[in-house]
């Protein structure tokens, strides 16, 4: 009975490389109550300095399979991205790389199949777009650990993805205030959750 009541929670992150969000996620996973949650992680890129710090009971979700036709499209999307990056450079268009990447390649990216109760996009930008578009029939939570406005994110572009989220978690009161000011339509979705850092 207890197993049936447990929630299946998937965390999606680009990688477990050396960074703030990555360190925070590894710390968080070690603290969550296993009696309440079955914990999964999907790393879009499987390498990373913090990968060896994952708790042993975390279920690592494998990479989605692409058939031959899908692989051709995936490689085509890579070519499109390369061309658009060069064009943007020539015309002086300053666009956050994750937005350009997803515009060019998002349509060709697959997510793993599975049933989860809650899916966390554990980073702003690219991961947020993937979770919004590729995961369905679940609650979605977006983790935001940087000032996306200072970094150059386009508010209109990002709003259409955040609209699909049930909860958006800035990691400080200051960041919460900035998001509330710049994206007030999501005021009811914001919940400040301080970054969890375990020194050990």
């Amino acid at each position: 009975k207890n197993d049936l009541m447990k929630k299946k929670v998937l965390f999606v992150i680009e990688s477990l490389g050396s960074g703030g969000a990555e360190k925070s996620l590894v710390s968080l996973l070690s603290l969550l109550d296993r009696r309440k949650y079955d914990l999964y992680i999907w790393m879009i890129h499987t390498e990373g300095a913090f990968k060896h710090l994952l708790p042993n009971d975390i279920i690592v979700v494998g990479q989605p399979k692409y058939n031959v036709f899908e692989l051709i499209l995936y490689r085509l999307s890579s070519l499109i991205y390369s061309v658009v990056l060069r064009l943007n450079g020539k015309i002086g268009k300053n666009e956050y790389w994750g937005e350009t990447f997803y515009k060019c390649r998002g349509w060709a990216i697959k997510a793993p199949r599975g049933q989860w109760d809650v899916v966390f996009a554990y980073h702003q930008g690219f991961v947020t777009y993937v979770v919004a578009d590729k995961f369905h029939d679940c609650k979605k939570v977006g983790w935001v650990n940087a000032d996306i406005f200072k970094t150059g994110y386009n508010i209109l572009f990002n709003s259409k993805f955040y609209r699909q989220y049930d909860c958006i978690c800035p990691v400080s009161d200051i960041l919460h205030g900035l998001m509330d000011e710049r994206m007030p339509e999501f005021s009811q979705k914001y919940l400040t959750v301080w970054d969890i850092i375990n020194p050990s």
Side-chain angles (χ1 to χ4, degrees), residues 65-82:
K65 304 295 184 185
Y66 290 79
N67 61 36
V68 173
F69 179 65
E70 289 169 336
L71 275 174
I72 292 171
L73 293 179
Y74 188 77
R75 287 169 183 161
L76 175 62
S77 73
S78 180
L79 177 62
I80 293 170
Y81 175 60
S82 178

Side-chain angles (χ1 to χ4, degrees), residues 6-180:
K6 289 170 73 173
K7 298 294 186 185
K8 292 186 175 182
V9 182
L10 172 68
F11 292 87
V12 179
I13 194 165
E14 284 182 51
S15 74
L16 284 179
S18 183
E22 295 83 352
K23 188 186 295 182
S24 169
L25 178 54
V26 168
S27 295
L28 175 63
L29 290 174
S30 68
L31 298 172
L32 292 173
D33 190 343
R34 271 56 171 170
R35 295 168 299 179
K36 294 181 179 179
Y37 310 111
D38 286 327
L39 302 174
Y40 300 76
I41 185 171
W42 176 42
M43 296 166 282
I44 297 174
H45 305 292
T46 56
E47 74 283 350
F50 291 143
K51 189 176 178 182
H52 72 285
L53 296 176
L54 276 177
N56 292 330
D57 59 351
I58 302 300
I59 302 166
V60 178
V61 176
Q63 298 302 317
K65 304 295 184 185
Y66 290 79
N67 61 36
V68 173
F69 179 65
E70 289 169 336
L71 275 174
I72 292 171
L73 293 179
Y74 188 77
R75 287 169 183 161
L76 175 62
S77 73
S78 180
L79 177 62
I80 293 170
Y81 175 60
S82 178
V83 170
V84 170
L85 269 186
R86 287 181 173 85
L87 286 174
N88 283 352
K90 286 190 175 182
I91 65 175
K93 184 177 181 181
N94 186 21
E95 183 176 62
Y96 166 66
W97 76 267
E99 294 174 4
T100 307
F101 187 92
Y102 200 74
K103 288 174 184 177
C104 297
R105 306 202 63 186
W107 56 273
I109 292 171
K110 293 179 71 173
R113 292 183 178 180
Q115 292 294 321
W116 294 281
D117 296 294
V118 183
V119 178
F120 277 80
Y122 213 82
H123 210 276
Q124 56 279 341
F126 175 61
V127 170
T128 298
Y129 314 149
V130 171
V131 170
D133 271 354
K134 308 295 181 177
F135 291 88
H136 309 284
D137 302 319
C138 60
K139 298 286 186 182
K140 299 177 188 179
V141 181
W143 192 270
V144 185
N145 77 330
D147 182 348
I148 63 176
F149 313 108
K150 194 172 184 179
T151 313
Y153 288 64
N154 181 284
I155 293 176
L156 288 177
F157 181 80
N158 284 269
S159 289
K160 69 180 182 179
F161 296 101
Y162 280 122
R163 204 165 286 124
Q164 300 178 56
Y165 280 79
D166 299 277
C167 185
I168 303 165
C169 297
V171 300
S172 73
D173 294 332
I174 293 174
L175 186 52
H176 186 149
L178 286 171
M179 295 190 75
D180 207 13

